[in-house]
């Protein structure tokens, strides 16, 4: 068995403007064609994914159709529902590409609960954007129709609903994921950051929140003993002075260098910052490498290591 790799895929890579099932399935088929390159390279793959656009859309659909006899489901259940739907599409896409390439490999979705602390201060301050971008008028109307929702302007791109985003402290189904990996099966896990739950005696209780998928993927990678954490985003590298005349891409970078850049506010909160922080957490916890790159650069990474590779010290390659 080759390297054990957790690959974290953003929810926006599955859904852009067209929210139809057909469009999302098409996007996932294109994604699968890239992800299979890891398997062709001999790597043992564990896939995670975001669900921000999907869960936000589902909540709006439920709110619009909610009645006393058929009430909308709570947020933790909506996360589970989108875990299932995206996992279903993803495993079908992966299975199709694997069969076309003559690779005998099974892909299976694990509906995953991720434990958070009931005392996490994030519950008092919603920050995680979910759902579609809206104009100010659309957000005002959505707020009027859903008084309990909170909407904020998101990075100059429009308004989105925000919900609490507590940090993960454990992955309940870790042993199930390990068993699948040991059997040579490709698991799809911690979808949408996992279903947020808190421990209460012998019970796990769902919470109204969405866990950042990068932090959940890091926690999973740490717990399953992954050799690498690969976070896929819209750009092939992390940049400093992004979109400025002196923009510089980072290729080989140490944890200490990234922490310096964080202190300089180089990375946008809610965008690149959580990816960088999750990568740092993984490298510190395991000593193994983390990579941030684009989906369409997977072949470049597999063939020549392109992308931003984060290690404890510059020049160390795992």
């Amino acid at each position: 068995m080759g390297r054990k790799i957790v690959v974290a895929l953003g929810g926006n890579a599955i859904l852009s403007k067209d929210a139809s099932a057909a469009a999302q399935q098409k996007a996932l088929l294109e994604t699968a064609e890239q992800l299979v390159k890891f398997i062709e390279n001999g790597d043992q793959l564990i896939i995670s994914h975001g669900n921000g656009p999907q869960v936000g859309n589902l909540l709006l659909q439920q709110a619009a159709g909610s009645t006393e006899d058929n009430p909308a489901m709570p947020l933790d259940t909506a996360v589970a529902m989108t875990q299932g739907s995206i996992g279903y599409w993803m495993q079908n896409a992966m299975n199709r590409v694997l069969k076309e390439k003559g690779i005998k490999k099974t892909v299976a979705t694990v509906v995953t609960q991720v434990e958070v602390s009931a005392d996490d201060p994030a519950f008092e301050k919603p920050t995680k954007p979910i759902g579609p971008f809206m104009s100010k008028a659309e957000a005002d109307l959505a707020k009027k129709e859903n008084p309990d929702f909170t909407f904020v302007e998101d990075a100059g791109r429009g308004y989105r609903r925000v919900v609490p985003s507590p940090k993960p402290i454990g992955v309940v189904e870790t042993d199930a994921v390990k068993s699948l990996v040991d059997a040579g099966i490709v698991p799809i896990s911690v979808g949408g950051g996992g279903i947020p739950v808190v421990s209460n005696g012998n019970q796990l209780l769902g919470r109204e929140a969405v866990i950042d998928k990068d932090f959940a993927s890091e926690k999973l990678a740490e717990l399953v003993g992954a050799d690498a954490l690969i976070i896929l985003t819209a750009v092939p590298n992390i940049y400093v002075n992004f979109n400025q005349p002196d923009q510089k891409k980072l290729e080989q970078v140490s944890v200490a260098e990234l922490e310096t850049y964080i202190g300089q506010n180089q990375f946008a909160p809610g965008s690149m910052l959580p990816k960088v922080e999750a990568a740092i957490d993984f490298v510190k916890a395991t000593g193994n490498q983390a990579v941030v790159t684009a989906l369409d650069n997977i072949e470049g990474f597999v063939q020549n290591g392109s992308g931003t590779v984060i290690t404890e010290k510059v020049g160390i390659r795992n």
Side-chain angles (χ1 to χ4, degrees), residues 5-11 35 45-50 190 213-218 229-233 275 291 293 295:
I5 294 176
V6 172
V7 177
L9 177 71
L35 293 179
L45 192 60
I46 301 167
I47 302 170
S48 67
H49 61 82
V190 297
K213 71 99 172 77
D214 295 314
F215 289 118
S217 301
E218 186 284 322
L229 168 65
I230 299 177
I231 299 174
L232 300 178
T233 185
K275 296 172 176 55
V291 180
T293 193
L295 178 68

Side-chain angles (χ1 to χ4, degrees), residues 144-220:
K144 184 177 179 180
E145 294 173 345
N146 306 279
D148 293 335
F149 289 6
T150 301
F151 294 87
V152 300
E153 196 274 334
D154 183 8
R157 296 175 291 177
Y159 287 77
R160 295 178 78 187
R161 183 186 171 192
V162 290
V163 299
S165 184
K167 288 289 185 71
I169 59 175
V171 178
V172 177
E173 285 77 21
T174 294
D175 287 346
V177 174
K178 285 181 177 178
S179 294
L180 291 173
V181 171
D182 290 344
I185 295 168
V186 177
I188 301 169
S189 183
V190 297
I195 304 159
V197 295
V198 298
S199 180
N200 181 21
N202 293 326
Q203 300 181 81
L204 290 172
L205 304 177
R207 284 291 182 261
E208 290 273 319
V210 170
I211 301 166
D212 186 282
K213 71 99 172 77
D214 295 314
F215 289 118
S217 301
E218 186 284 322
K219 183 57 66 176
L220 177 68

